[in-house]
């Protein structure tokens, strides 16, 4: 190795070290400014503090307003007759909904509660198809699937269990599980049963999600009135087990729930999370979920955005 190469490598290592130190040094610089800046630049520090307080006053006030607006929209949505409105739209009789519930290790009780909320939908359940997306590596998956399929037999138009195998090049997680379950269901629902692809939506949720009773009726209405490429995002509230968690977690869950509610009002910044729906044709055309990532929600949205361009939007469902 020549002297020039050694020198270049040392310079590169030094630059890399400086970049690694920069975030920590910047943090210490800002924190210590409360001491040295108050002595050296008291007026500048006071103005900076006022600007900081003003910024957070604006942010907190706007957040509070958006929470109130979103809460009122949610209450109106809960009281609205979505099924009646949707049934008057052309194409209502052809609409089917496919629900994927990916699961790994969740108990039968958790999955049973999720399925019971699906069974309480006011939308015609003969046009609901549900897939329990198990992982083949889960040793208890077969037992859980048999129990749940027997218990909820006949309560939906279709109820299946899929078992996602270990495949080369895949990352084990929700995204690859959903991709497998979606292809599994599309083959049986569209290719075999002959359901119209263009009139079908696909919804994915967490294993412990609790869908509102009017969710699929509202989704039907919005799906029929917004034929363009859309991802539909409902309200995410962390209250289903609120009394079974420690008190500090209740505070955090409540604050996070309010933030989730408020963010639906900013459709210019809205990205789907956890539970969301889209036209099945949109999902198929984009190539389903990617199998080399774990967190699938925002990743799927940006995949759709890059595929469809400005036609892609996230639309809130206030349920």
């Amino acid at each position: 190795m020549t002297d020039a190469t050694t020198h270049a490598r040392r310079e590169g290592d030094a630059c890399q070290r400086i970049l690694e130190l920069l975030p920590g040094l910047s943090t210490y610089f800002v924190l210590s400014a409360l001491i040295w800046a108050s002595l050296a630049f008291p007026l500048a520090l006071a103005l900076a503090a006022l600007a900081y307080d003003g910024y957070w006053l604006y942010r907190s006030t706007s957040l509070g307003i958006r929470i109130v607006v979103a809460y009122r929209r949610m209450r109106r949505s809960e009281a609205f007759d979505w099924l009646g409105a949707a049934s008057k739209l052309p194409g209502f009789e052809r609409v089917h909904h496919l629900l994927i519930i990916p699961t790994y290790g969740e108990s039968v009780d958790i999955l049973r509660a999720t399925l019971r909320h699906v069974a309480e939908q006011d939308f015609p359940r003969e046009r609901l198809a549900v897939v329990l997306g198990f992982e083949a590596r889960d040793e208890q998956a077969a037992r859980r699937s048999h129990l749940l399929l027997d218990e909820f037999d006949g309560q939906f138009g279709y109820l299946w269990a899929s078992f996602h195998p270990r495949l080369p090049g895949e990352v084990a997680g929700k995204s690859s599980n959903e991709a497998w379950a979606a292809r599994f269901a599309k083959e049986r629902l569209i290719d075999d049963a002959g359901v119209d692809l263009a009139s079908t939506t696909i919804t994915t949720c967490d294993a412990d999600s609790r869908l509102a009773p009017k969710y699929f009726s509202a989704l039907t209405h919005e799906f029929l009135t917004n034929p363009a490429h859309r991802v539909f995002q409902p309200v995410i509230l962390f209250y289903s087990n609120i009394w079974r968690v420690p008190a500090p977690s209740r505070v955090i869950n409540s604050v996070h729930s309010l933030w989730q509610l408020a963010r639906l009002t900013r459709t210019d910044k809205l990205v789907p999370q956890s539970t969301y729906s889209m036209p099945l044709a949109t999902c198929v055309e984009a190539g389903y979920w990617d199998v080399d990532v774990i967190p699938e929600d925002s990743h799927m949205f940006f995949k759709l955005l890059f595929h469809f361009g400005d036609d892609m939007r996230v639309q809130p469902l206030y349920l």
Side-chain angles (χ1 to χ4, degrees):
M1 183 179 299
T2 64
D3 292 341
T5 303
T6 303
H7 181 71
R9 173 170 293 184
R10 288 176 178 174
E11 285 186 345
D13 292 342
C15 291
Q16 178 68 26
R17 182 57 178 162
I18 292 173
L19 291 175
E20 292 173 350
L21 291 173
L22 192 58
L25 293 175
S26 300
T27 302
Y28 286 122
F29 176 80
V30 173
L31 293 176
S32 63
L34 297 175
I35 300 174
W36 59 263
S38 63
L39 300 175
F41 310 101
L43 180 59
L45 180 63
L47 293 175
L50 285 174
Y52 181 83
D53 292 342
Y55 170 75
W56 282 107
L57 176 62
Y58 161 74
R59 290 296 302 269
S60 58
T61 302
S62 62
L63 177 64
I65 293 173
R66 289 190 287 116
I67 288 173
V68 173
V69 170
Y71 178 79
R72 291 170 63 89
R73 291 177 181 175
M74 184 177 69
R75 288 307 186 198
R76 286 198 300 266
S77 185
E78 290 174 340
F80 186 72
D81 181 13
W82 290 104
L83 182 61
S87 62
K88 299 176 183 178
L89 296 174
F92 171 78
E93 297 79 8
R94 297 194 305 272
V95 174
H96 284 71
H97 298 291
L98 169 61
L99 173 64
I100 296 177
I101 307 175
T103 173
Y104 177 68
E106 280 83 11
S107 68
V108 170
D109 290 338
I110 291 176
L111 295 171
R112 178 183 291 120
T114 300
L115 288 172
R116 281 177 178 171
H117 279 75
V118 181
E120 293 171 357
Q121 296 292 309
D122 63 354
F123 185 82
R125 284 182 288 165
E126 64 271 13
R127 288 189 271 151
L128 294 180
V130 181
V131 181
L132 293 170
F134 292 95
E135 293 284 352
R137 67 182 186 277
D138 183 355
E139 297 180 354
Q140 298 298 317
R143 181 186 67 84
R144 294 190 185 102
S145 68
H146 288 312
L147 290 173
L148 293 168
L149 293 180
D150 290 342
E151 181 175 346
F152 290 90
D153 181 42
Q155 297 198 34
F156 311 105
Y158 304 91
L159 177 61
W160 302 301
S162 65
F163 299 90
H164 175 224
R166 292 179 179 270
L167 297 174
E170 290 193 356
V171 175
K174 187 179 178 184
S175 189
S176 57
N177 187 315
E178 287 171 337
W180 178 270
R183 289 185 171 92
F184 170 93
K186 190 259 183 184
E187 179 181 342
R188 285 156 180 77
L189 186 65
I190 307 300
D191 301 340
D192 296 344
V195 172
D196 182 18
L197 175 65
S199 300
T200 306
T201 74
I202 183 170
T203 299
T204 178
C205 67
D206 292 339
D208 59 350
S209 293
R210 307 287 185 262
L211 296 178
K214 298 181 180 181
Y215 180 80
F216 285 110
S217 295
L219 176 60
T220 302
H221 182 274
E222 298 304 293
F223 173 60
L224 291 174
T225 54
N226 294 278
H229 299 294
R230 291 289 185 269
V231 175
F232 301 96
Q233 173 67 61
V235 182
I236 306 296
L237 301 177
F238 301 91
Y239 291 134
S240 63
N241 64 338
I242 192 69
W243 300 115
R244 299 198 302 272
V245 299
S249 296
R250 297 175 201 166
V251 175
I252 296 173
N253 288 352
S254 297
V255 171
H256 200 187
S257 296
L258 293 175
W259 180 82
Q260 288 283 351
L261 182 61
R263 80 186 187 97
L264 293 185
T265 62
R266 291 295 305 270
T267 54
D268 58 318
K269 301 175 64 176
L270 188 58
V271 175
Q273 179 180 351
S274 174
T275 299
Y276 52 95
S277 305
M278 72 187 86
L280 179 57
T282 297
C283 180
V284 172
E285 183 178 343
Y288 301 94
W289 288 265
D290 286 340
V291 298
D292 56 350
V293 296
I294 295 178
E296 94 304 338
D297 38 22
S298 59
H299 183 95
M300 182 59 167
F301 168 71
F302 287 110
K303 178 179 181 177
L304 296 171
L305 181 64
F306 288 130
H307 186 86
F308 295 105
D310 292 338
D311 291 338
M312 177 53 57
R313 291 287 187 273
V314 179
Q315 179 175 332
L317 287 179
Y318 286 95
L319 287 171

